[in-house]
Amino acid sequence: MSEQTLFKVTIDNITVEVPAGTTILQAARKIGGEVAPPAMCFYSKLKGSGGKCRTCLVEVSKGSEKDPRPMPKLVASCRTTVMDGMEVKNITSEKVVDARAGVVEFLLLNHPLDCPICDQAGECHLQDLSFEHGKSGTRYEFQRRTFKKHNLGKNIQLHMTRCILCYRCVFTADQLTNKREHGVLDRGDHAEIATHIEKSLDNEFIGNVIDVCPVGALTDKTFRFKNRVWFLKPMDAHRDCPTCSGRVTLWNRGDEVFRVTARKDEWGEIEDTPEGQPGWICNTCRFDKKQSSDWVIEGPREINRHSVIAQGHYAGKIGTTKPKETFTAVNDGRTPHLLMDIHDQSEVNQPNIHLSEIKGPSHGDTFNNNKA
Amino acid sequence: MGVKLLLEKANVPGIRSFEVYRREGGYRSVEKALKEMNPESIVEEVKKSGLRGRGGAGFPTGMKWSFIAKPEGVPRHLVCNADESEPGTFKDRYLMEFLPHLLIEGLIVSSFALGSSDTYIYIRGEYAWIPDILEEAINEAKAAGFLGKNILGTGFDCNIHVQRGGGAYICGEETALIESLEGKRGNPRIKPPFPAIQGLWMRPTVVNNVETLAAIVPIINMGGDEYAKIGVGRSTGTKLISACGNINKPGVYEIDMTISVEEFIYSDEYCGGIKGGKKLKACIPGGSSVPILPANLLLKTAKGETRYMNYESLSDGGFATGSMLGSGGFIVLDEDQCIVKNTLTLARFYRHESCGQCSPCREGTGWMEKILHKIEHGKGSMSDIDLLWDIQRKIEGNTICPLGDAAAWPVAAAIRHFRDEFEWHINNPELSQTSNFGLQNYADPIHVPA
Amino acid sequence: MAYIFNDTQMAEFKRLVARYPEGKQKSALLPVLHLAQESFDGWLPTEALDYVASLLQIEPIEVYEVATFYSMYNLKPVGKYVFEVCQTGPCMISGSDSIIDYIKQVLSIQPGETTKDGLFTLKLVECLGACGYAPMMQVGKIYKEHLTKEKVDAIIAEFRQAANKN
């Protein structure tokens, strides 16, 4: 194999070396943390995906060593490849922060915000995106868009109102199945994911559209309204499957298997198998194998401790461990942005004082006693 | 009378037929190009001419041609963009309807320069009668040996095919056009790769506007240097302007880009003044997406200099006080027109034509339309104006293709120059339903009726 | 009705497909949909779309995606004559509003509706590239330009007469 050309690229003042042909987004993911732009439509395992949602826009302040001119517009980092000596601004660019807040507002404009009844809540990329990059409240005062309901069969639930048209499910059907039966119909603000004629999707790999969907537009009907993801314990498991890799994550409560998904990495994408292939799973594994006895359990799945799914899980029991590292250590040696030293403001936050030793704040008793 | 290079023969009886067109000197450029020149020298000649794309963006044509990749054994294609859909623009339709052979002639020369043996004309579906005209012209040219196999015995093969679109403005964007030509939804592609590298069926492709390709004919006939002498600065040659709105003589005019905007509007040779002796209020000089200008900034630049009908002069002052020549769709509004309503219809147009692929355009265009609808119907509030401004700002430059910009600019310019009219609508919700804001500060600065 | 091309239509279909290289027959989809719409009563039911898919050897969803994207394909039945009146900027400032109102009044239909006799459908459309000849509308393959109320009357009378003859 010939030696790979490496390009130096600097993103938010951090420099990495990546092979030529790498996109800005992939280079930023190599650095990790908040330097990596959010991506709602890009999916590294799906050819042709990306460029549509515009959440990953970044500013290229220096094109390359050879041609240092900045790029005139913000570019979609998922579809722009790095050049040697390129300098990119993500969260250090005011333009980017502003444009991204705009994109978040656009994406939420017609979103029903029905998170309390949405199965995706807790693992929804749109929730994360709006929390991290959006603004509270909306300036939209018109009726939100709704769609006619489409039935995609017994396994997959389509909620078109929640869809952000990332096209990932279309690419999935194109690339994983030999016959695509759903697609994007109509255009503009009425474009929708549908089958045109009522049709159940039942190709044996079509279930993966649920895993790639960044929002709650495509959800697992066999799990519908059964539980909240943060009440479940994710366990890595496998079985000898004739169709797929059989490597999955089980979502359990006690011994009961509530849901089966593919294993996802920290960017929410399907993990590769040890053979280096994307670990897509088949419908049988996903929808039909709901007994613990169907599976060989490997152990608890590690979940990012920032995720709501990690909440309520006790250290050591299901794979989340109480962090011992300092913030600087987990942040690759970078110190956090100090916005305000809250310890200055209140002794409640004095780390060396135990809460029980602090007088007040008032309790319900104080209030009731005063009233009496 | 200015120089006419394209429409010179438009009024010759029977010019639509090959026989008359040929008798009038047609197809000379094909003979010259195929027999006396080679592809490289044609591209050089086009570069020298300074010709800029006539579809709206104004990108130098010769440069675009020189970008086309030439990998061994891969066919290349020339595609003619006849998907003319920008409101206010109807010049290509005129060319194709009345001078079909001029386009075919330009296409043959350009196909030779680019090495395209299968050239496609993608025409908007609504121009349903024009493909018949073009196909007849193609058949005539073929019968005379100017198309088909071994053209004029030079060994060059070329066929031209006409494809009708299905009704979508977005297909005027070159990558959306290519997708549509491949039988897909007109979703613009994400660039790179550019069409010059991977276009139609992933082969190297050049997409040019009808008028651009027609202009190749005089460039070859007279030489690039001579062509460049016409016009001024980087606005060389002639430009077709389709004038419409509240003027006495709407229609398609060929100008040599040295005449002033004032002359174009008021002289009898062109628009013939404002209809009914009314006053000029505003004008959208280059197709609906370019910024609208109030009369005072249209006829003179912010510096008080005369404004001319060319690329540089119309964009003098940037978007703050200038506009663009764009596609040459010249829309004139008289004193009775309502800027809010006009902006609303344009916002509705862009919402209707958004492909829906990327989020700022899909969601933002509809939002702007709804707010404008509210203001127009007397239900707006002052904060709506600032909200509109903020929405257009967040669409512009953040979308996959220029449709986002095209939707944002008219709204931005309307607020920039006519904010008081928006405020008047909001402050006078009832009055604004029955009467008009009129001219107010934007009185026609020159032509005050006696 | 059976959604199958007759010999003439089939010959035209073959001519359309022949324009494209081997294996790129999908490129003919838009023109073939036009042909199908003209052949099958002015609109495209699912059966017609499926027929087009089978002719071009592509998946039905690829045809549905395209047919719903473009504005010229009617996916619901329409009247014999479809009045597609332009309402964009240049037509609006030249008085398209009053023409639209007049058509609504004369035919007693709203945009999107068809007259009871099945003759006329009114559709409001965006810019058709006839801005200098505004107000205007498209009826089938033809543009009717410089519209006035009198001209609208004459157009309706003309089509009524033509329909009676058939």
Side-chain angles (χ1 to χ4, degrees), chain B residues 20 25 36 38 59 139 169 182 203 263 289 319 323 416:
Chain B
V20 176
E36 299 164 26
N38 58 39
F59 191 81
N139 290 336
Y169 165 78
E182 291 182 359
R203 300 166 176 178
E263 185 189 345
S289 61
F319 277 9
S323 184
R416 189 183 295 121

Side-chain angles (χ1 to χ4, degrees), chain B residues 88 90 93 120 124 126-127 135 162-163 165-167 180-181 183-186 201 244 246 337 341 345 348, chain C residues 19-21 26-27 30 34 65 69-72 87 89 93 97 126-132 138 141 145:
Chain B
F90 47 99
R93 166 189 168 186
Y120 294 87
R124 70 175 298 182
E126 291 89 345
Y127 288 170
E135 275 173 359
V162 187
Q163 164 152 340
S180 186
L181 198 48
K184 300 178 193 159
R185 298 163 61 83
W201 306 307
C244 63
N246 310 120
Q337 299 308 327
K341 177 138 193 218
T345 72
R348 184 186 58 216
Chain C
R19 293 165 171 175
Y20 307 97
K26 187 184 173 181
S27 288
L30 270 67
H34 280 302
E65 283 185 323
F69 183 88
Y70 296 95
S71 61
M72 292 184 75
Q87 54 168 350
I93 61 177
D97 284 0
E126 301 294 346
C127 190
L128 295 179
C131 317
Q138 178 169 27
K141 274 193 165 187
E145 295 164 338

Side-chain angles (χ1 to χ4, degrees), chain A residues 43 45 123 211 229 232-238 247-252 259-274 279 296-305 307 309-311 313-321:
Chain A
Y43 204 87
K45 267 92 185 173
E123 53 180 17
D211 278 339
V229 287
L232 301 176
K233 284 191 254 175
M235 307 291 278
D236 277 351
H238 66 267
R247 289 160 49 85
V248 301
T249 299
L250 303 180
W251 297 76
N252 289 357
R259 179 172 81 144
V260 183
T261 66
R263 298 183 189 178
K264 295 185 193 175
D265 64 17
E266 60 177 314
W267 311 111
E269 293 190 9
I270 307 273
E271 248 179 30
D272 280 346
T273 61
V296 181
I297 308 240
E298 294 168 18
R301 175 145 192 91
E302 279 215 26
I303 293 289
N304 185 319
R305 65 190 169 84
S307 164
I309 297 168
Q311 303 310 302
H313 297 151
Y314 296 105
K317 273 202 176 165
I318 56 124
T320 52
T321 46

Side-chain angles (χ1 to χ4, degrees), chain B residues 337-367:
Chain B
Q337 299 308 327
C338 169
I339 299 296
V340 177
K341 177 138 193 218
N342 184 60
T343 314
L344 167 64
T345 72
L346 298 183
R348 184 186 58 216
F349 174 83
Y350 289 106
R351 188 265 300 151
H352 184 257
E353 301 300 342
S354 167
C355 80
Q357 197 183 192
C358 67
S359 29
C361 177
R362 177 182 66 236
E363 306 293 347
T365 50
W367 194 6

Side-chain angles (χ1 to χ4, degrees), chain B residues 100-385:
Chain B
H101 281 288
L102 181 66
L103 173 62
I104 304 301
E105 184 179 351
L107 275 168
I108 300 168
V109 175
S110 310
S111 298
F112 177 65
L114 294 162
S116 164
S117 287
D118 279 294
T119 293
Y120 294 87
I121 302 175
Y122 182 94
I123 184 165
R124 70 175 298 182
E126 291 89 345
Y127 288 170
W129 68 99
I130 299 182
D132 297 342
I133 298 174
L134 292 173
E135 275 173 359
E136 198 186 323
I138 290 167
N139 290 336
E140 286 178 328
K142 208 171 201 169
F146 285 101
L147 270 175
K149 283 221 173 308
N150 193 17
I151 298 170
L152 303 177
T154 59
F156 174 59
D157 302 338
C158 182
N159 280 304
I160 299 175
H161 315 275
V162 187
Q163 164 152 340
R164 260 177 87 192
Y169 165 78
I170 189 62
C171 293
E173 196 277 338
E174 60 178 11
T175 57
L177 186 151
I178 290 171
E179 286 280 298
S180 186
L181 198 48
E182 291 182 359
K184 300 178 193 159
R185 298 163 61 83
N187 285 352
R189 292 179 182 170
I190 293 143
K191 296 188 249 190
F194 287 89
I197 314 293
Q198 289 181 326
L200 183 61
W201 306 307
M202 299 316 259
R203 300 166 176 178
T205 305
V206 164
V207 183
N208 279 139
N209 172 260
V210 171
E211 189 190 341
T212 314
L213 292 162
I216 300 300
V217 175
I219 289 173
I220 296 303
N221 282 336
M222 66 202 292
D225 288 329
E226 282 302 306
Y227 184 88
K229 283 182 192 160
I230 303 163
V232 58
R234 289 183 60 231
S235 301
T236 61
T238 60
K239 173 87 189 83
L240 296 185
I241 304 288
S242 56
C244 63
N246 310 120
I247 46 174
N248 282 319
K249 290 169 61 192
V252 178
Y253 298 101
E254 183 169 9
I255 59 161
D256 69 4
M257 297 204 261
T258 55
I259 65 163
S260 69
V261 176
E262 189 188 343
E263 185 189 345
F264 185 72
I265 295 180
Y266 291 102
S267 86
D268 283 335
E269 194 185 331
Y270 302 107
C271 302
I274 310 297
K275 213 173 177 176
K278 288 185 183 160
K279 290 183 205 163
L280 169 68
K281 178 173 187 175
C283 174
I284 307 172
S288 65
S289 61
V290 310
I292 188 170
L293 286 180
N296 53 338
L297 284 174
L298 176 72
L299 303 176
K300 296 232 186 280
T301 66
K303 284 174 268 172
E305 290 160 359
T306 305
R307 212 186 271 283
Y308 293 94
M309 295 287 289
N310 62 46
Y311 291 98
E312 288 83 10
S313 184
L314 276 171
S315 52
D316 183 279
F319 277 9
T321 59
S323 184
M324 278 168 82
L325 179 61
S327 63
F330 196 82
I331 311 168
V332 179
L333 284 75
D334 71 19
E335 56 188 302
D336 291 340
Q337 299 308 327
C338 169
I339 299 296
V340 177
K341 177 138 193 218
N342 184 60
T343 314
L344 167 64
T345 72
L346 298 183
R348 184 186 58 216
F349 174 83
Y350 289 106
R351 188 265 300 151
H352 184 257
E353 301 300 342
S354 167
C355 80
Q357 197 183 192
C358 67
S359 29
C361 177
R362 177 182 66 236
E363 306 293 347
T365 50
W367 194 6
M368 292 198 299
E369 186 203 345
K370 287 192 177 93
I371 296 171
L372 281 161
H373 191 271
K374 212 179 107 182
I375 299 175
E376 162 66 14
H377 289 85
K379 298 195 172 71
S381 57
M382 281 299 174
S383 61
D384 285 335
I385 303 176

Side-chain angles (χ1 to χ4, degrees), chain B residues 352, chain C residues 83-87 100 104 111-112 122-126:
Chain B
H352 184 257
Chain C
F83 287 180
E84 298 179 84
V85 191
C86 174
Q87 54 168 350
I100 294 165
K104 281 200 252 180
L122 174 62
K123 250 171 109 173
L124 302 187
V125 297
E126 301 294 346

